[in-house]
PDB file of all heavy atoms in Angstrom:
ATOM      1  N   GLN Y   1     -17.304  -6.620  -6.231  1.00 98.00           N
ATOM      2  CA  GLN Y   1     -18.109  -7.568  -5.456  1.00 98.00           C
ATOM      3  C   GLN Y   1     -17.214  -8.547  -4.702  1.00 98.00           C
ATOM      4  O   GLN Y   1     -16.077  -8.820  -5.118  1.00 98.00           O
ATOM      5  CB  GLN Y   1     -19.048  -8.338  -6.384  1.00 98.00           C
ATOM      6  CG  GLN Y   1     -20.183  -7.489  -6.935  1.00 98.00           C
ATOM      7  CD  GLN Y   1     -21.189  -8.329  -7.696  1.00 98.00           C
ATOM      8  OE1 GLN Y   1     -20.849  -9.379  -8.232  1.00 98.00           O
ATOM      9  NE2 GLN Y   1     -22.424  -7.862  -7.754  1.00 98.00           N
ATOM     10  N   ALA Y   2     -17.733  -9.059  -3.625  1.00 98.00           N
ATOM     11  CA  ALA Y   2     -17.003 -10.071  -2.867  1.00 98.00           C
ATOM     12  C   ALA Y   2     -16.623 -11.229  -3.776  1.00 98.00           C
ATOM     13  O   ALA Y   2     -17.431 -11.671  -4.614  1.00 98.00           O
ATOM     14  CB  ALA Y   2     -17.842 -10.563  -1.701  1.00 98.00           C
ATOM     15  N   GLY Y   3     -15.395 -11.700  -3.626  1.00 98.00           N
ATOM     16  CA  GLY Y   3     -14.880 -12.755  -4.470  1.00 98.00           C
ATOM     17  C   GLY Y   3     -14.133 -12.243  -5.695  1.00 98.00           C
ATOM     18  O   GLY Y   3     -13.469 -13.023  -6.388  1.00 98.00           O
ATOM     19  N   GLY Y   4     -14.249 -10.965  -5.948  1.00 98.00           N
ATOM     20  CA  GLY Y   4     -13.600 -10.370  -7.111  1.00 98.00           C
ATOM     21  C   GLY Y   4     -12.158  -9.998  -6.844  1.00 98.00           C
ATOM     22  O   GLY Y   4     -11.595 -10.297  -5.787  1.00 98.00           O
ATOM     23  N   SER Y   5     -11.570  -9.321  -7.830  1.00 98.00           N
ATOM     24  CA  SER Y   5     -10.152  -8.953  -7.769  1.00 98.00           C
ATOM     25  C   SER Y   5      -9.966  -7.480  -8.103  1.00 98.00           C
ATOM     26  O   SER Y   5     -10.757  -6.894  -8.857  1.00 98.00           O
ATOM     27  CB  SER Y   5      -9.343  -9.789  -8.762  1.00 98.00           C
ATOM     28  OG  SER Y   5      -9.419 -11.172  -8.457  1.00 98.00           O
ATOM     29  N   LEU Y   6      -8.918  -6.922  -7.544  1.00 98.00           N
ATOM     30  CA  LEU Y   6      -8.490  -5.569  -7.871  1.00 98.00           C
ATOM     31  C   LEU Y   6      -6.973  -5.534  -7.828  1.00 98.00           C
ATOM     32  O   LEU Y   6      -6.345  -6.346  -7.126  1.00 98.00           O
ATOM     33  CB  LEU Y   6      -9.030  -4.547  -6.865  1.00 98.00           C
ATOM     34  CG  LEU Y   6     -10.472  -4.074  -6.998  1.00 98.00           C
ATOM     35  CD1 LEU Y   6     -10.826  -3.173  -5.827  1.00 98.00           C
ATOM     36  CD2 LEU Y   6     -10.704  -3.372  -8.326  1.00 98.00           C
ATOM     37  N   ARG Y   7      -6.413  -4.571  -8.539  1.00 98.00           N
ATOM     38  CA  ARG Y   7      -4.963  -4.383  -8.521  1.00 98.00           C
ATOM     39  C   ARG Y   7      -4.656  -2.928  -8.199  1.00 98.00           C
ATOM     40  O   ARG Y   7      -5.169  -2.022  -8.849  1.00 98.00           O
ATOM     41  CB  ARG Y   7      -4.350  -4.772  -9.874  1.00 98.00           C
ATOM     42  CG  ARG Y   7      -2.837  -4.732  -9.902  1.00 98.00           C
ATOM     43  CD  ARG Y   7      -2.327  -5.221 -11.257  1.00 98.00           C
ATOM     44  NE  ARG Y   7      -0.882  -5.237 -11.342  1.00 98.00           N
ATOM     45  CZ  ARG Y   7      -0.129  -6.253 -10.944  1.00 98.00           C
ATOM     46  NH1 ARG Y   7      -0.698  -7.351 -10.456  1.00 98.00           N
ATOM     47  NH2 ARG Y   7       1.195  -6.195 -11.058  1.00 98.00           N
ATOM     48  N   LEU Y   8      -3.818  -2.739  -7.196  1.00 98.00           N
ATOM     49  CA  LEU Y   8      -3.348  -1.409  -6.838  1.00 98.00           C
ATOM     50  C   LEU Y   8      -1.913  -1.243  -7.318  1.00 98.00           C
ATOM     51  O   LEU Y   8      -1.122  -2.189  -7.261  1.00 98.00           O
ATOM     52  CB  LEU Y   8      -3.400  -1.207  -5.320  1.00 98.00           C
ATOM     53  CG  LEU Y   8      -4.730  -1.446  -4.623  1.00 98.00           C
ATOM     54  CD1 LEU Y   8      -4.601  -1.175  -3.129  1.00 98.00           C
ATOM     55  CD2 LEU Y   8      -5.826  -0.600  -5.220  1.00 98.00           C
ATOM     56  N   SER Y   9      -1.598  -0.046  -7.770  1.00 98.00           N
ATOM     57  CA  SER Y   9      -0.242   0.255  -8.194  1.00 98.00           C
ATOM     58  C   SER Y   9       0.214   1.559  -7.559  1.00 98.00           C
ATOM     59  O   SER Y   9      -0.594   2.440  -7.267  1.00 98.00           O
ATOM     60  CB  SER Y   9      -0.164   0.370  -9.718  1.00 98.00           C
ATOM     61  OG  SER Y   9      -0.449  -0.872 -10.325  1.00 98.00           O
ATOM     62  N   CYS Y  10       1.509   1.658  -7.361  1.00 98.00           N
ATOM     63  CA  CYS Y  10       2.092   2.855  -6.757  1.00 98.00           C
ATOM     64  C   CYS Y  10       3.423   3.132  -7.435  1.00 98.00           C
ATOM     65  O   CYS Y  10       4.266   2.229  -7.538  1.00 98.00           O
ATOM     66  CB  CYS Y  10       2.283   2.634  -5.262  1.00 98.00           C
ATOM     67  SG  CYS Y  10       3.094   3.979  -4.378  1.00 98.00           S
ATOM     68  N   ALA Y  11       3.590   4.345  -7.911  1.00 97.00           N
ATOM     69  CA  ALA Y  11       4.834   4.750  -8.561  1.00 97.00           C
ATOM     70  C   ALA Y  11       5.565   5.745  -7.670  1.00 97.00           C
ATOM     71  O   ALA Y  11       4.964   6.721  -7.208  1.00 97.00           O
ATOM     72  CB  ALA Y  11       4.534   5.375  -9.916  1.00 97.00           C
ATOM     73  N   ALA Y  12       6.827   5.465  -7.428  1.00 96.00           N
ATOM     74  CA  ALA Y  12       7.647   6.342  -6.606  1.00 96.00           C
ATOM     75  C   ALA Y  12       8.554   7.180  -7.492  1.00 96.00           C
ATOM     76  O   ALA Y  12       9.056   6.710  -8.512  1.00 96.00           O
ATOM     77  CB  ALA Y  12       8.469   5.528  -5.622  1.00 96.00           C
ATOM     78  N   SER Y  13       8.765   8.412  -7.082  1.00 94.00           N
ATOM     79  CA  SER Y  13       9.676   9.295  -7.802  1.00 94.00           C
ATOM     80  C   SER Y  13      10.432  10.144  -6.789  1.00 94.00           C
ATOM     81  O   SER Y  13      10.018  10.292  -5.647  1.00 94.00           O
ATOM     82  CB  SER Y  13       8.914  10.187  -8.788  1.00 94.00           C
ATOM     83  OG  SER Y  13       7.975  10.991  -8.101  1.00 94.00           O
ATOM     84  N   GLY Y  14      11.560  10.691  -7.246  1.00 92.00           N
ATOM     85  CA  GLY Y  14      12.357  11.531  -6.366  1.00 92.00           C
ATOM     86  C   GLY Y  14      13.625  10.829  -5.920  1.00 92.00           C
ATOM     87  O   GLY Y  14      14.184  10.011  -6.646  1.00 92.00           O
ATOM     88  N   SER Y  15      14.082  11.135  -4.714  1.00 90.00           N
ATOM     89  CA  SER Y  15      15.344  10.621  -4.179  1.00 90.00           C
ATOM     90  C   SER Y  15      15.123   9.253  -3.532  1.00 90.00           C
ATOM     91  O   SER Y  15      14.966   9.148  -2.315  1.00 90.00           O
ATOM     92  CB  SER Y  15      15.926  11.612  -3.170  1.00 90.00           C
ATOM     93  OG  SER Y  15      16.133  12.878  -3.769  1.00 90.00           O
ATOM     94  N   ILE Y  16      15.145   8.233  -4.346  1.00 90.00           N
ATOM     95  CA  ILE Y  16      14.851   6.875  -3.892  1.00 90.00           C
ATOM     96  C   ILE Y  16      16.148   6.173  -3.539  1.00 90.00           C
ATOM     97  O   ILE Y  16      17.055   6.058  -4.360  1.00 90.00           O
ATOM     98  CB  ILE Y  16      14.094   6.102  -4.976  1.00 90.00           C
ATOM     99  CG1 ILE Y  16      12.748   6.801  -5.247  1.00 90.00           C
ATOM    100  CG2 ILE Y  16      13.865   4.658  -4.538  1.00 90.00           C
ATOM    101  CD1 ILE Y  16      12.049   6.300  -6.469  1.00 90.00           C
ATOM    102  N   ALA Y  17      16.229   5.686  -2.311  1.00 91.00           N
ATOM    103  CA  ALA Y  17      17.420   4.977  -1.859  1.00 91.00           C
ATOM    104  C   ALA Y  17      17.470   3.588  -2.472  1.00 91.00           C
ATOM    105  O   ALA Y  17      16.435   2.979  -2.760  1.00 91.00           O
ATOM    106  CB  ALA Y  17      17.411   4.872  -0.336  1.00 91.00           C
ATOM    107  N   SER Y  18      18.675   3.081  -2.647  1.00 88.00           N
ATOM    108  CA  SER Y  18      18.819   1.760  -3.263  1.00 88.00           C
ATOM    109  C   SER Y  18      18.260   0.664  -2.361  1.00 88.00           C
ATOM    110  O   SER Y  18      17.772  -0.353  -2.828  1.00 88.00           O
ATOM    111  CB  SER Y  18      20.285   1.474  -3.583  1.00 88.00           C
ATOM    112  OG  SER Y  18      21.066   1.571  -2.403  1.00 88.00           O
ATOM    113  N   ARG Y  19      18.342   0.868  -1.058  1.00 93.00           N
ATOM    114  CA  ARG Y  19      17.776  -0.090  -0.119  1.00 93.00           C
ATOM    115  C   ARG Y  19      16.554   0.545   0.526  1.00 93.00           C
ATOM    116  O   ARG Y  19      16.645   1.580   1.186  1.00 93.00           O
ATOM    117  CB  ARG Y  19      18.788  -0.485   0.956  1.00 93.00           C
ATOM    118  CG  ARG Y  19      19.998  -1.218   0.399  1.00 93.00           C
ATOM    119  CD  ARG Y  19      20.977  -1.604   1.493  1.00 93.00           C
ATOM    120  NE  ARG Y  19      20.393  -2.599   2.389  1.00 93.00           N
ATOM    121  CZ  ARG Y  19      21.037  -3.099   3.434  1.00 93.00           C
ATOM    122  NH1 ARG Y  19      22.257  -2.685   3.728  1.00 93.00           N
ATOM    123  NH2 ARG Y  19      20.452  -3.986   4.203  1.00 93.00           N
ATOM    124  N   ASN Y  20      15.400  -0.060   0.293  1.00 95.00           N
ATOM    125  CA  ASN Y  20      14.164   0.493   0.834  1.00 95.00           C
ATOM    126  C   ASN Y  20      13.112  -0.599   0.980  1.00 95.00           C
ATOM    127  O   ASN Y  20      13.303  -1.723   0.508  1.00 95.00           O
ATOM    128  CB  ASN Y  20      13.642   1.609  -0.070  1.00 95.00           C
ATOM    129  CG  ASN Y  20      13.341   1.146  -1.479  1.00 95.00           C
ATOM    130  OD1 ASN Y  20      12.393   0.408  -1.710  1.00 95.00           O
ATOM    131  ND2 ASN Y  20      14.147   1.586  -2.442  1.00 95.00           N
ATOM    132  N   VAL Y  21      12.078  -0.242   1.643  1.00 97.00           N
ATOM    133  CA  VAL Y  21      10.927  -1.128   1.790  1.00 97.00           C
ATOM    134  C   VAL Y  21       9.695  -0.359   1.311  1.00 97.00           C
ATOM    135  O   VAL Y  21       9.466   0.782   1.743  1.00 97.00           O
ATOM    136  CB  VAL Y  21      10.711  -1.562   3.248  1.00 97.00           C
ATOM    137  CG1 VAL Y  21       9.486  -2.486   3.352  1.00 97.00           C
ATOM    138  CG2 VAL Y  21      11.948  -2.256   3.787  1.00 97.00           C
ATOM    139  N   VAL Y  22       8.950  -0.953   0.435  1.00 97.00           N
ATOM    140  CA  VAL Y  22       7.694  -0.354  -0.020  1.00 97.00           C
ATOM    141  C   VAL Y  22       6.567  -1.311   0.310  1.00 97.00           C
ATOM    142  O   VAL Y  22       6.766  -2.529   0.376  1.00 97.00           O
ATOM    143  CB  VAL Y  22       7.714  -0.031  -1.526  1.00 97.00           C
ATOM    144  CG1 VAL Y  22       8.655   1.125  -1.805  1.00 97.00           C
ATOM    145  CG2 VAL Y  22       8.116  -1.247  -2.345  1.00 97.00           C
ATOM    146  N   GLY Y  23       5.421  -0.765   0.529  1.00 97.00           N
ATOM    147  CA  GLY Y  23       4.320  -1.638   0.902  1.00 97.00           C
ATOM    148  C   GLY Y  23       2.979  -0.958   0.862  1.00 97.00           C
ATOM    149  O   GLY Y  23       2.862   0.191   0.401  1.00 97.00           O
ATOM    150  N   TRP Y  24       2.005  -1.687   1.330  1.00 98.00           N
ATOM    151  CA  TRP Y  24       0.628  -1.214   1.370  1.00 98.00           C
ATOM    152  C   TRP Y  24       0.088  -1.384   2.789  1.00 98.00           C
ATOM    153  O   TRP Y  24       0.253  -2.451   3.405  1.00 98.00           O
ATOM    154  CB  TRP Y  24      -0.236  -1.992   0.388  1.00 98.00           C
ATOM    155  CG  TRP Y  24       0.115  -1.720  -1.037  1.00 98.00           C
ATOM    156  CD1 TRP Y  24       0.993  -2.416  -1.816  1.00 98.00           C
ATOM    157  CD2 TRP Y  24      -0.402  -0.665  -1.850  1.00 98.00           C
ATOM    158  NE1 TRP Y  24       1.060  -1.844  -3.062  1.00 98.00           N
ATOM    159  CE2 TRP Y  24       0.210  -0.775  -3.111  1.00 98.00           C
ATOM    160  CE3 TRP Y  24      -1.318   0.365  -1.637  1.00 98.00           C
ATOM    161  CZ2 TRP Y  24      -0.059   0.103  -4.167  1.00 98.00           C
ATOM    162  CZ3 TRP Y  24      -1.601   1.227  -2.687  1.00 98.00           C
ATOM    163  CH2 TRP Y  24      -0.979   1.100  -3.922  1.00 98.00           C
ATOM    164  N   TYR Y  25      -0.547  -0.346   3.251  1.00 98.00           N
ATOM    165  CA  TYR Y  25      -1.268  -0.359   4.514  1.00 98.00           C
ATOM    166  C   TYR Y  25      -2.729  -0.048   4.203  1.00 98.00           C
ATOM    167  O   TYR Y  25      -3.051   0.458   3.128  1.00 98.00           O
ATOM    168  CB  TYR Y  25      -0.711   0.702   5.463  1.00 98.00           C
ATOM    169  CG  TYR Y  25       0.628   0.360   6.062  1.00 98.00           C
ATOM    170  CD1 TYR Y  25       1.784   0.369   5.288  1.00 98.00           C
ATOM    171  CD2 TYR Y  25       0.751   0.048   7.410  1.00 98.00           C
ATOM    172  CE1 TYR Y  25       3.012   0.053   5.829  1.00 98.00           C
ATOM    173  CE2 TYR Y  25       1.977  -0.256   7.970  1.00 98.00           C
ATOM    174  CZ  TYR Y  25       3.103  -0.243   7.176  1.00 98.00           C
ATOM    175  OH  TYR Y  25       4.321  -0.551   7.729  1.00 98.00           O
ATOM    176  N   ARG Y  26      -3.596  -0.329   5.150  1.00 98.00           N
ATOM    177  CA  ARG Y  26      -4.997   0.032   4.967  1.00 98.00           C
ATOM    178  C   ARG Y  26      -5.593   0.506   6.279  1.00 98.00           C
ATOM    179  O   ARG Y  26      -5.132   0.149   7.354  1.00 98.00           O
ATOM    180  CB  ARG Y  26      -5.799  -1.149   4.411  1.00 98.00           C
ATOM    181  CG  ARG Y  26      -5.929  -2.345   5.351  1.00 98.00           C
ATOM    182  CD  ARG Y  26      -6.597  -3.494   4.622  1.00 98.00           C
ATOM    183  NE  ARG Y  26      -6.753  -4.665   5.492  1.00 98.00           N
ATOM    184  CZ  ARG Y  26      -7.176  -5.856   5.067  1.00 98.00           C
ATOM    185  NH1 ARG Y  26      -7.484  -6.048   3.790  1.00 98.00           N
ATOM    186  NH2 ARG Y  26      -7.294  -6.854   5.937  1.00 98.00           N
ATOM    187  N   GLN Y  27      -6.613   1.307   6.124  1.00 98.00           N
ATOM    188  CA  GLN Y  27      -7.311   1.825   7.302  1.00 98.00           C
ATOM    189  C   GLN Y  27      -8.807   1.815   7.027  1.00 98.00           C
ATOM    190  O   GLN Y  27      -9.281   2.500   6.108  1.00 98.00           O
ATOM    191  CB  GLN Y  27      -6.845   3.237   7.640  1.00 98.00           C
ATOM    192  CG  GLN Y  27      -7.403   3.766   8.944  1.00 98.00           C
ATOM    193  CD  GLN Y  27      -6.683   5.007   9.421  1.00 98.00           C
ATOM    194  OE1 GLN Y  27      -6.007   5.690   8.661  1.00 98.00           O
ATOM    195  NE2 GLN Y  27      -6.815   5.298  10.710  1.00 98.00           N
ATOM    196  N   ALA Y  28      -9.521   1.029   7.811  1.00 97.00           N
ATOM    197  CA  ALA Y  28     -10.971   0.973   7.721  1.00 97.00           C
ATOM    198  C   ALA Y  28     -11.564   2.000   8.690  1.00 97.00           C
ATOM    199  O   ALA Y  28     -10.902   2.397   9.662  1.00 97.00           O
ATOM    200  CB  ALA Y  28     -11.463  -0.430   8.055  1.00 97.00           C
ATOM    201  N   PRO Y  29     -12.790   2.426   8.465  1.00 92.00           N
ATOM    202  CA  PRO Y  29     -13.420   3.415   9.359  1.00 92.00           C
ATOM    203  C   PRO Y  29     -13.411   2.950  10.803  1.00 92.00           C
ATOM    204  O   PRO Y  29     -13.801   1.819  11.109  1.00 92.00           O
ATOM    205  CB  PRO Y  29     -14.842   3.513   8.808  1.00 92.00           C
ATOM    206  CG  PRO Y  29     -14.724   3.144   7.379  1.00 92.00           C
ATOM    207  CD  PRO Y  29     -13.662   2.093   7.320  1.00 92.00           C
ATOM    208  N   GLY Y  30     -12.946   3.810  11.690  1.00 95.00           N
ATOM    209  CA  GLY Y  30     -12.930   3.495  13.110  1.00 95.00           C
ATOM    210  C   GLY Y  30     -11.825   2.558  13.547  1.00 95.00           C
ATOM    211  O   GLY Y  30     -11.787   2.164  14.722  1.00 95.00           O
ATOM    212  N   LYS Y  31     -10.942   2.212  12.628  1.00 97.00           N
ATOM    213  CA  LYS Y  31      -9.851   1.285  12.964  1.00 97.00           C
ATOM    214  C   LYS Y  31      -8.498   1.936  12.711  1.00 97.00           C
ATOM    215  O   LYS Y  31      -8.382   2.915  11.980  1.00 97.00           O
ATOM    216  CB  LYS Y  31      -9.980   0.001  12.159  1.00 97.00           C
ATOM    217  CG  LYS Y  31     -11.219  -0.809  12.495  1.00 97.00           C
ATOM    218  CD  LYS Y  31     -11.196  -2.157  11.791  1.00 97.00           C
ATOM    219  CE  LYS Y  31     -12.389  -3.004  12.181  1.00 97.00           C
ATOM    220  NZ  LYS Y  31     -12.356  -4.342  11.513  1.00 97.00           N
ATOM    221  N   GLN Y  32      -7.471   1.350  13.295  1.00 97.00           N
ATOM    222  CA  GLN Y  32      -6.119   1.848  13.082  1.00 97.00           C
ATOM    223  C   GLN Y  32      -5.585   1.381  11.737  1.00 97.00           C
ATOM    224  O   GLN Y  32      -6.015   0.353  11.191  1.00 97.00           O
ATOM    225  CB  GLN Y  32      -5.203   1.353  14.208  1.00 97.00           C
ATOM    226  CG  GLN Y  32      -5.475   1.990  15.560  1.00 97.00           C
ATOM    227  CD  GLN Y  32      -4.427   1.617  16.591  1.00 97.00           C
ATOM    228  OE1 GLN Y  32      -3.851   0.543  16.549  1.00 97.00           O
ATOM    229  NE2 GLN Y  32      -4.179   2.520  17.524  1.00 97.00           N
ATOM    230  N   ARG Y  33      -4.642   2.145  11.225  1.00 97.00           N
ATOM    231  CA  ARG Y  33      -3.980   1.742  10.001  1.00 97.00           C
ATOM    232  C   ARG Y  33      -3.166   0.480  10.277  1.00 97.00           C
ATOM    233  O   ARG Y  33      -2.485   0.363  11.298  1.00 97.00           O
ATOM    234  CB  ARG Y  33      -3.067   2.865   9.507  1.00 97.00           C
ATOM    235  CG  ARG Y  33      -2.509   2.651   8.119  1.00 97.00           C
ATOM    236  CD  ARG Y  33      -1.764   3.879   7.622  1.00 97.00           C
ATOM    237  NE  ARG Y  33      -2.630   5.041   7.515  1.00 97.00           N
ATOM    238  CZ  ARG Y  33      -2.246   6.193   6.956  1.00 97.00           C
ATOM    239  NH1 ARG Y  33      -1.021   6.310   6.455  1.00 97.00           N
ATOM    240  NH2 ARG Y  33      -3.074   7.220   6.910  1.00 97.00           N
TER     241      ARG Y  33
END
Protein backbone atom coordinates (compact mmCIF):
# COMPACT_ATOMS: atom_id res chain seq x y z
CA GLN A 1 0.00 0.00 0.00
CA ALA A 2 1.01 3.59 -0.49
CA GLY A 3 3.17 4.75 2.39
CA GLY A 4 4.55 1.27 2.94
CA SER A 5 8.02 -0.17 2.50
CA LEU A 6 9.70 -2.85 0.44
CA ARG A 7 13.25 -4.10 0.14
CA LEU A 8 14.82 -5.35 -3.06
CA SER A 9 17.98 -7.42 -3.10
CA CYS A 10 20.28 -8.51 -5.90
CA ALA A 11 23.08 -11.05 -5.72
CA ALA A 12 25.84 -11.02 -8.30
CA SER A 13 27.92 -14.03 -9.25
CA GLY A 14 30.56 -14.83 -11.82
CA SER A 15 33.48 -12.69 -13.03
CA ILE A 16 32.96 -9.59 -10.91
CA ALA A 17 35.46 -6.78 -11.38
CA SER A 18 36.88 -5.10 -8.31
CA ARG A 19 35.74 -1.72 -9.60
CA ASN A 20 32.10 -1.67 -10.63
CA VAL A 21 28.83 0.12 -10.30
CA VAL A 22 25.66 -1.68 -9.29
CA GLY A 23 22.25 -0.18 -9.14
CA TRP A 24 18.55 -0.31 -9.70
CA TYR A 25 16.56 0.94 -12.65
CA ARG A 26 12.82 0.83 -13.17
CA GLN A 27 10.44 0.82 -16.06
CA ALA A 28 6.77 1.67 -15.78
CA PRO A 29 4.28 0.72 -18.53
CA GLY A 30 4.65 3.00 -21.52
CA LYS A 31 7.73 4.71 -20.10
CA GLN A 32 11.45 4.42 -20.62
CA ARG A 33 13.69 2.64 -18.19
